[in-house]
């Protein structure tokens, strides 16, 4: 499969701050790729370089086969972007903002727009200054999801959304995936990425420290098994998934019940980070 | 039983104010620069202006002669309110009674709003509300602090005027006039903060009321019929003007202001009890569900976002131009004083009739203000970059060059249009009051001759933004220095080569003088080069 996004050895500093320190990232066409890392790890900086808004210090970047710094305008015809902290124009209504951004992108599908407004329960007649953070986020989401483009770049798009609306967002992601579009979804919320993404990259201090399909990544982590025996005692173990059947049969017929928990993204994340650096929900 | 019920009610009331003291201390901490600086600024305005007048005119006779028919000009009364021409002290403050009253009202409004609706909108009151803060405490603290601010402005001005040796009762009346406007504005803001759900909405209500207030009293103060003059008794600024310090010394106007404020505040407390935190009484205004057809380009966006302020600038410069035009009737008298004439010539040039020189001088001052409008428009680029709006737009197929051009082009267009309006109106109004005034064509030409100098400063703003959003604010420094060197440099006695650093120094002195093509073309080239440099730099740097 061709790569929608290809980054090799990306470096970017802001004065003394080294934001990206040799970052590599590959997003295959048609996948929903989770870009996971705590605040300040370099997600937004990476995304802004992918959009041609920031200039890389060094490294190779290709988005849909183009160099985003040189071909930004052309590239932007094929993507939609939702920034992390959406700031709208205070005097424009949500509807006006959605239309303006859609037209700047070259038009948007009115039926899809109406459907999204409905599903996200967004009132388009409210002025930007009167929207809550969650509603501002919805404006950007509707505008991006209504765009007929092959690539969506979403930077922490659910910050401020309530759980109900987060579900709607998840459902929309499934739709986008079924359409065969590519999504790069940055997030510091593990459960969100776990639900929505087929593959993930974990970034730490400007570097990707783990990358791959979610199923493959799980495989390298141990599975937790708890067996309750007929006499009421419990046996615990952490071992590779493939070794679970052997472990159970070794216990023999005394097993009354069994609980098997595959490694979660959180386990993976904690293994790479250590608890203190994880941003809690 | 009844004692018990009473004490419960009393306790409920006192707990409604719980925490007022702490909130007041907190609010003061936030405003400890803003409020003293405003009070000092306002005092400098009243005392400085009075001192200058008293130094210029040793006695009442010379002052009446010097100011002459200016005092009878309806435009002056419309702007400054009733003039007490019967005492030298009255003449010393005639410009600052109304001006200061307006500023004091704005001070009261700003402080009150900051600690009521703005706090609530940003959710800070919610945090406070969860603690041991009574329902009435935030509004009460805001009212107390605002009252302190306007009281400070009035009292310090009174003390300053007394310090100049001016008449005591009149000096007290002067402070009372400012206080009248201040307390009224505080009361109205407290009310508006309950009605509107947003700080902007609250500001719209209060500033709108202030505008209507100013207009009513301007009509009232210039009217010749008793019914018309009665309009001046209807509103706070009217009352402030009719306090007439050093003349009638009407102190009861302060009573009117306090009564208005008390009434508005009482209603505000009532509304506060009935509404939810974060909500308003008035529904927040809705807008279009879909964008109009034209909103499809960066230029259309800039037009849409700035239409309110553009309209404000148009009305503002039109009013100023009309006043300047009408003043042409009394210019000859004013300039009979050689000192005044010399001052005019140093700014406006020595060529042509005294009317020409006066128009040239005024145009140059107005051009400075118009430049600020252009610079502010270009600096929206920096604001959008910091706020994140630029990022959203530039992630669409919009080119950086069109985003840049939309703002810079708007800045160039706005400044040229504003100056054209000013020149045309000065000519049109001036010609009605005196045949000596420049014609419409002369006025328009003179104003447009200043455009290239203005554009250099606007271009410098574009260039600074191109270098980086963080440098954009330096544009204000460029404007200030350019204006000081170019327009006031000669008055300050600066050497020619320093003055010539300012773009304004190279514009032609019209009407009356000669139009110089070479410096004009040079200024235009410099402006174009600055804009081009800014674009090249912008395209090469990080844009988010
Ligand atoms: N414009 C900027 N100027 C200076 N430092 C920046 C800028 N943008 C990001 N940084 C710094 O770069 C690092 C990475 O930030 P960012 O990419 O925003 O992280 P994330 O999106 O993962 O939270 C942080 O240390 C941040 O402070
Ligand atoms: Mg970020």
């Amino acid at each position: 499969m061709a790569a929608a996004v290809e980054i090799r050895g990306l470096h970017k500093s802001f004065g003394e701050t080294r934001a990206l320190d040799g970052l590599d990232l590959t997003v295959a066409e048609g996948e929903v790729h989770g870009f996971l890392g705590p605040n300040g790890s370099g997600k937004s900086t990476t995304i802004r370089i992918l959009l041609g808004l920031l200039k890389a210090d060094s490294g190779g970047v290709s988005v849909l086969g183009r160099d985003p710094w040189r071909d930004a305008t052309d590239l932007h015809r094929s993507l939609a972007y939702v920034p992390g902290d959406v700031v709208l124009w205070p005097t424009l209504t949500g509807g006006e903002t959605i239309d303006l951004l859609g037209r700047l992108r070259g038009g948007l599908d009115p039926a899809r727009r109406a459907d999204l407004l409905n599903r996200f329960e967004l009132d388009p007649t409210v002025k930007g200054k009167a929207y809550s953070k969650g509603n501002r986020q919805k404006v950007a989401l509707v505008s991006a999801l209504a765009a007929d483009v092959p690539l969506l770049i979403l930077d922490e798009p659910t910050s401020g959304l309530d759980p109900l609306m987060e579900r709607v967002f998840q459902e929309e992601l499934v739709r986008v995936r079924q359409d065969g579009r590519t999504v790069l979804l940055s997030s510091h919320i593990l459960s969100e990425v776990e639900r929505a993404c087929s593959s993930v990259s974990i970034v730490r201090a400007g570097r990707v420290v783990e990358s791959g399909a979610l199923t493959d990544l799980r495989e390298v982590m141990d599975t937790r098994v708890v067996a309750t025996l007929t006499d009421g005692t419990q046996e615990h173990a952490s071992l590779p998934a493939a070794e679970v059947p052997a472990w159970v049969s070794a216990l023999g017929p005394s097993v009354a019940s069994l609980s098997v928990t595959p490694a979660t993204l959180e386990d993976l994340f904690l293994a790479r980070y250590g608890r203190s650096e994880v941003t809690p929900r | 039983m009844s004692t018990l019920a009473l004490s419960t009610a009393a306790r409920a009331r006192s707990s409604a104010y719980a925490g007022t003291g702490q909130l007041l201390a907190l609010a003061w901490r936030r405003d400890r620069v803003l409020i003293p600086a405003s009070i000092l600024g306002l005092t400098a305005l009243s005392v400085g202006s009075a001192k200058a007048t008293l130094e210029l005119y040793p006695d009442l006779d010379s002052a009446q002669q010097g100011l002459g028919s200016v005092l009878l000009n309806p435009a002056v009364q419309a702007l400054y309110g009733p003039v007490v021409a019967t005492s030298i002290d009255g003449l010393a403050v005639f410009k600052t009674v109304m001006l200061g009253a307006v500023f004091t009202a704005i001070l009261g409004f700003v402080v009150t709003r900051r600690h009521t609706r703005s706090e609530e909108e940003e959710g800070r009151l919610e945090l406070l509300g969860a603690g041991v803060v009574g329902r009435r405490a935030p509004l009460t603290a805001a009212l107390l602090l605002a009252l302190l601010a306007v009281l400070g402005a009035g009292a310090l001005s009174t003390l300053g005027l007394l310090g100049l040796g001016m008449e005591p009762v009149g000096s007290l009346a002067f402070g009372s006039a400012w206080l009248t406007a201040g307390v009224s504005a505080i009361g109205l803001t407290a009310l508006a903060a309950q009605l509107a759900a947003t700080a902007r909405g609250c500001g719209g209500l209060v500033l709108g009321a202030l505008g209507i207030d100013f207009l009513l009293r301007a009509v009232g103060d210039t009217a010749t019929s008793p019914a018309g003059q009665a309009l001046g008794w209807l509103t706070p600024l009217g009352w402030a003007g009719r306090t007439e310090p050093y003349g009638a010394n009407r102190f009861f106007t302060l009573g009117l202001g306090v009564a208005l404020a008390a009434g508005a505040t009482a209603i505000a407390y009532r509304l506060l009890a009935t509404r939810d935190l974060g909500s308003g009484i008035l529904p927040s205004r809705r807008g279009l569900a879909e964008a109009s057809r034209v909103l499809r380009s960066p230029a259309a966006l800039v037009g849409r976002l700035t239409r309110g302020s553009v309209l404000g600038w148009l009305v503002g410069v039109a009013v100023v131009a009309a006043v300047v035009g009408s003043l042409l009737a009394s210019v000859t008298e004013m300039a009979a004083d050689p000192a005044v004439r010399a001052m005019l010539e140093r700014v406006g040039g020595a060529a042509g009739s005294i009317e020409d020189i006066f128009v040239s001088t005024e145009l140059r001052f107005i051009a400075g203000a118009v430049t600020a409008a252009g610079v502010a428009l270009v600096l929206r680029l920096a604001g959008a970059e910091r706020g994140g709006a630029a990022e959203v737009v530039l992630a669409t197929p919009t080119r950086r060059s069109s985003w840049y051009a939309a703002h810079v082009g708007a800045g160039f267009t706005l400044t040229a249009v504003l100056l054209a309006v000013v020149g045309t109106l000065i000519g049109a109004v001036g010609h009605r009051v005196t045949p000596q005034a420049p014609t419409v064509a002369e006025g328009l030409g003179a104003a447009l001759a200043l455009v290239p100098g203005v554009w250099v400063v606007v271009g410098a703003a574009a260039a600074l933004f191109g270098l980086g959003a963080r440098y954009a604010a330096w544009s204000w420094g460029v404007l200030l220095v350019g204006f000081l060197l170019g327009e006031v440099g000669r008055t300050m006695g600066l050497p020619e080569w320093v003055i010539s650093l300012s773009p304004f120094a190279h514009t032609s002195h019209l009407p009356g003088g000669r139009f110089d093509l070479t410096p004009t073309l040079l200024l235009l080239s410099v402006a174009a080069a600055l804009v081009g440099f800014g674009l090249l730099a912008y395209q090469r740097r990080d844009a988010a």
Side-chain angles (χ1 to χ4, degrees), chain A residues 198-270:
Chain A
S198 47
S199 48
V200 294
S201 293
I202 297 179
V203 57
R204 170 182 182 161
R207 235 179 230 277
V208 168
V209 290
E210 190 76 74
S211 188
L214 210 48
T215 46
D216 294 347
L217 290 177
R218 279 210 184 106
E219 237 153 61
V220 305
M221 299 293 292
D222 288 345
T223 301
R224 262 195 302 263
V225 208
V226 181
T228 309
L229 304 182
T230 40
D231 61 3
T233 57
Q234 286 193 330
E235 291 280 336
H236 297 253
S238 267
L239 59 168
E243 293 170 22
V244 172
W247 182 80
V248 175
S249 37
L251 289 173
S254 59
V255 176
S257 69
L258 198 64
S259 117
V260 182
T261 319
T264 61
L265 199 47
E266 187 164 1
D267 296 324
L268 202 69
F269 201 81
L270 291 178

Side-chain angles (χ1 to χ4, degrees), chain A residues 14 17 19 38-46 48 155-156, chain B residues 544:
Chain A
F14 299 102
T17 317
N39 292 324
S41 53
K43 304 182 297 293
S44 298
T45 305
T46 307
R48 291 188 177 120
D155 193 355
E156 309 207 9

Side-chain angles (χ1 to χ4, degrees), chain A residues 12 53 81 93 96 103 123, chain B residues 286 288 292 304 391 542:
Chain A
K12 175 75 184 176
L53 295 168
Y81 166 55
T93 64
E96 287 178 304
R103 288 168 188 174
D123 180 349
Chain B
R286 298 285 149 137
L288 300 170
S292 85
R304 171 62 208 277
E391 187 179 347
D542 289 348

Side-chain angles (χ1 to χ4, degrees), chain A residues 66-109:
Chain A
R66 295 187 185 84
D67 174 350
W69 182 254
R70 289 188 20 235
D71 294 338
T73 311
D74 222 21
L75 171 63
H76 292 164
R77 284 182 225 289
S78 313
L79 63 81
Y81 166 55
V82 174
D85 199 359
V86 179
V87 178
L88 293 160
W89 296 284
T91 52
L92 293 194
T93 64
E96 287 178 304
T97 305
I98 290 168
D99 286 346
L100 171 70
L101 292 176
R103 288 168 188 174
L104 290 177
R105 260 185 222 116
L108 79 177
D109 177 359

Side-chain angles (χ1 to χ4, degrees), chain B residues 41-92:
Chain B
L42 282 168
T43 308
L45 174 76
S46 57
V47 178
S49 150
K51 188 164 182 282
T53 313
L54 294 176
E55 277 170 3
L56 195 60
Y57 304 111
D59 53 36
L60 182 60
D61 274 352
S62 63
Q64 280 175 342
Q65 221 155 42
L67 293 166
S69 61
V70 172
L71 300 176
L72 303 176
N73 190 316
V76 169
Q77 314 261 331
L79 215 56
Y80 296 123
V83 178
V84 175
T86 52
S87 85
I88 178 72
D89 289 353
L91 287 175

Side-chain angles (χ1 to χ4, degrees), chain B residues 339-355:
Chain B
V340 173
R341 184 171 180 122
M343 194 277 284
L344 287 175
E345 285 181 355
R346 273 196 292 268
V347 180
S353 68
I354 186 63
E355 282 81 8

